[in-house]
Amino acid sequence: MSEIDFKQALADAGIPTTKAKLRQAWEAEVAAQGSKLSNSSGWSPFWRVITALVTTPVLWLIEFIADTVLPNFFVKTAKGAWLDMLAWAVNVTRKASTKAEGVLLFTRVSSAGVLEVPAGTRVQSVSINGNVYELLTTAMGSFADGEFQVKVPARAKEAGSGFNLAPGYYSILPEPVPGVILAVNADNWLSQPGADIELDDDLRLRVRNQFSAVNQWHTDAVYRAMIAVFPGVQADGVYFEHNAPRGPGSANAYLLFEADTPAASYLAQINDYIRDSGNHGHGDDLLVFEMPATHHTVKVRIWPKAELGAERHPALKADIELYIRAAFRESTDSDFKPAPTLTHPQSRFSFSRLGEELHQQFPGIDSLDFDNTDIVSELTIPRLAGVEVSLNA
């Protein structure tokens, strides 16, 4: 329901909800009580007092009931702390924010001798729509004699899902480390996804799912509730395969992550929770996997508007590439407003819609043309093998 629906519900119950209707109600009540007052002018001292002392506070109360109290009685419309209380009633708690953790790959100039990378070394991402994300190493890294590369554990500077960037995004050393020429987040760098504090809509999904999960049998809803507790996993990002992939009683759960897929160790934690900690049903055989990916190279030609100016072409080209990468979940959708339509399993990814969104996001585009056709996915998620943006002046 919307706010107007709740106000209409009050009106349908015979409760006056506007100043004019409240005055009519007061006048009727005054007449019913035998009052002889005949001055009903808006300048009447009597009605000015009634408005100041009664009508205005009643309107405040009606607004509070219609806009706050009634909407927050229902999971569909509740917000904030009110939704937290409704979630608590079904044993669901809002997930807190977490910091992304993983490893960075450092490369040095020469393999001779021993070289140390200090703890607290900062590595930044390229700018994504004005946002720069930063990781800090959490331990000292040490190159042994003869080693060109070393992996060093790192943690995000702040909590949030925006730090779960795809491989290659973290590549800038704002403070150079002597002897080191490159620091980058390589494939499978993420061991613990970062997460924002759970949004109302995401919490609402888990609360709705809980109504289906409260039973004695391990249904999809029960497993979805258990898996969605983990940071970085959304309730609507759990997909099940039921065709007994390992024989009777077996099923697979595929998890869709917003950006880079966490390392195998993170999926091992989830599987351990379900399979080895006594949380699966009798005779059940459920395994959790990352969502399989299909890889695509996106090619698009752009014709900028003449008034844009050649000096702004490189920035436009870079921004378009980042926007396309965001659509393929290489960065969080919060980096662009409005956000691009994301790729999804079991759906069609429309390049005509992506083109429309690029026009809306970047007014400097006069025309564009994709080489790609729509991607139709089964139980897979489209990922990028590469993006090629060419500008035709």
Side-chain angles (χ1 to χ4, degrees):
M1 288 187 179
S2 62
E3 291 180 4
I4 190 64
D5 291 324
F6 287 110
K7 290 182 181 178
Q8 187 61 46
L10 292 175
D12 292 343
I15 300 173
T17 58
T18 65
K19 186 175 181 179
K21 290 183 178 180
L22 280 170
R23 176 163 180 169
Q24 291 176 5
W26 300 142
E27 289 178 345
E29 184 61 26
V30 167
Q33 296 299 324
S35 172
K36 302 302 182 182
L37 289 171
S38 59
N39 185 359
S40 59
S41 167
W43 299 104
S44 165
F46 172 76
W47 287 113
R48 290 168 64 187
V49 170
I50 289 294
T51 298
L53 300 182
V54 181
T55 305
T56 300
V58 168
L59 284 173
W60 292 342
L61 183 60
I62 289 172
E63 291 290 331
F64 177 67
I65 292 173
D67 297 345
T68 302
V69 177
L70 289 178
N72 284 303
F73 275 173
F74 305 95
V75 172
K76 181 177 181 179
T77 49
K79 298 179 181 179
W82 296 78
L83 181 58
D84 288 338
M85 289 191 290
L86 293 173
W88 176 87
V90 292
N91 201 30
V92 173
T93 303
R94 189 186 297 269
K95 292 191 285 188
S97 59
T98 59
K99 292 184 178 182
E101 297 182 14
V103 292
L104 291 170
L105 183 64
F106 286 79
T107 304
R108 62 174 174 168
V109 178
S110 170
S111 64
V114 175
L115 178 65
E116 293 182 347
V117 177
T121 298
R122 300 160 55 208
V123 180
Q124 295 178 339
S125 73
V126 296
S127 177
I128 303 174
N129 197 33
N131 297 317
V132 175
Y133 301 96
E134 183 174 289
L135 302 179
L136 291 85
T137 57
T138 56
M140 182 177 66
S142 180
F143 290 90
D145 187 26
E147 285 185 329
F148 271 106
Q149 295 182 320
V150 65
K151 291 182 177 180
V152 183
R155 181 184 298 122
K157 180 180 179 181
E158 300 172 357
S161 61
F163 292 83
N164 302 335
L165 297 177
Y169 273 72
Y170 291 103
S171 57
I172 299 172
L173 280 167
E175 299 163 355
V177 178
V180 173
I181 59 171
L182 178 65
V184 68
N185 60 320
D187 291 340
N188 298 317
W189 74 277
L190 194 62
S191 60
Q192 171 77 39
D196 303 305
I197 188 168
E198 191 170 21
L199 298 176
D200 284 346
D201 285 344
D202 296 328
L203 177 58
R204 194 172 286 116
L205 277 175
R206 291 204 296 131
V207 172
R208 290 177 58 195
N209 181 74
Q210 193 74 349
F211 285 101
S212 301
V214 182
N215 61 68
Q216 59 181 334
W217 307 107
H218 274 58
T219 60
D220 287 359
V222 174
Y223 283 116
R224 179 176 285 108
M226 289 192 293
I227 296 171
V229 169
F230 285 81
V233 180
Q234 305 297 339
D236 58 353
V238 183
Y239 294 78
F240 291 96
E241 182 183 19
H242 299 103
N243 59 353
R246 290 175 303 284
S250 66
N252 292 333
Y254 293 97
L255 307 189
L256 175 62
F257 294 94
E258 286 300 315
D260 188 37
T261 301
S265 59
Y266 190 65
L267 293 173
Q269 294 178 36
I270 302 175
N271 276 310
D272 177 75
Y273 177 72
I274 293 173
R275 297 174 63 85
D276 301 324
S277 300
N279 291 311
H280 63 81
H282 294 298
D284 285 358
D285 177 15
L286 178 75
L287 272 175
V288 178
F289 299 94
E290 65 175 287
M291 180 65 68
T294 58
H295 294 89
H296 309 266
T297 298
V298 175
K299 298 181 180 180
V300 59
R301 291 181 296 278
I302 304 294
W303 285 266
K305 291 183 177 179
E307 62 268 24
L308 184 65
E311 69 280 1
R312 297 175 63 185
H313 287 182
L316 177 64
K317 180 179 179 180
D319 287 342
I320 291 172
E321 179 177 338
L322 287 174
Y323 193 86
I324 294 172
R325 290 186 179 277
F328 281 78
R329 298 176 180 270
E330 287 199 0
S331 61
T332 62
D333 58 3
S334 61
D335 293 319
F336 291 97
K337 301 295 182 185
T341 299
L342 301 180
T343 56
H344 285 279
Q346 299 175 334
S347 66
R348 174 186 293 271
F349 182 77
S350 168
F351 280 94
S352 62
R353 181 181 295 113
L354 178 59
E356 179 183 349
E357 292 170 344
L358 283 168
H359 273 291
Q360 294 174 350
Q361 185 75 28
F362 305 107
I365 296 177
D366 190 30
S367 182
L368 57 84
D369 180 42
F370 284 98
D371 286 355
N372 306 80
T373 57
D374 288 357
I375 302 171
V376 179
S377 302
E378 299 300 331
L379 202 58
T380 56
I381 181 67
R383 302 283 189 187
L384 284 174
V387 179
E388 298 178 12
V389 180
S390 58
L391 265 62
N392 294 349

